[in-house]
Amino acid sequence: MSGKTDPRRPAEVVQYANFMAPVDPDALDPHASVLVVASLVGLVGLYLKLPVASWITLFLSLSYFSTARRDTMDLKQFVVVLMFGVMGVLSNIFFPRRPGADTVLASIFGARPSS
């Protein structure tokens, strides 16, 4: 080595700072939480065959569609949630309930099955 320069360049070292990027309030979609709740309710309605939950999912997804801005809309999640609601409603209408399904729901929710 002919020179005594430090190859790590200590003059260009940047000290760590706890920096959080500024949040643009226009970039956030306040209606996105509606889709998360609708997807959870839709899964409950689809798997437990609860018609009320499926109708609530359809209502929440359509209310999101009517109130969200089109440029920030999460179209994929909207379609998935809408399909959860539609399939939940259709499965409640066209597919019969299993015998003993009321006892399973009663054991989950702690109610006694009607005899």
Side-chain angles (χ1 to χ4, degrees):
M1 284 198 167
S2 63
K4 294 286 187 181
T5 59
D6 192 359
R8 295 175 290 180
R9 297 180 286 205
E12 296 179 15
V13 171
V14 177
Q15 294 293 327
Y16 173 76
N18 191 1
F19 175 73
M20 297 210 33
V23 177
D24 183 17
D26 294 333
L28 298 176
D29 188 11
H31 305 289
S33 60
V34 173
L35 282 182
V36 173
V37 171
S39 65
L40 294 176
V41 173
L43 284 172
V44 167
L46 186 63
Y47 288 124
L48 296 181
K49 288 199 173 189
L50 297 175
V52 173
S54 300
W55 284 108
I56 289 173
T57 300
L58 284 176
F59 173 73
L60 287 174
S61 62
L62 293 177
S63 68
Y64 171 79
F65 183 73
S66 64
T67 58
R69 294 188 324 200
R70 300 297 181 251
D71 56 342
T72 61
M73 180 181 286
D74 190 3
L75 193 60
K76 276 190 210 177
Q77 189 174 1
F78 169 72
V79 169
V80 168
V81 169
L82 189 65
M83 288 300 113
F84 279 151
V86 169
M87 289 306 296
V89 169
L90 290 179
S91 69
N92 285 318
I93 291 173
F94 292 115
F95 301 129
R97 292 180 67 109
R98 295 186 328 261
D102 293 330
T103 58
V104 172
L105 289 176
S107 67
I108 292 173
F109 294 114
R112 294 185 177 178
S114 60
S115 22

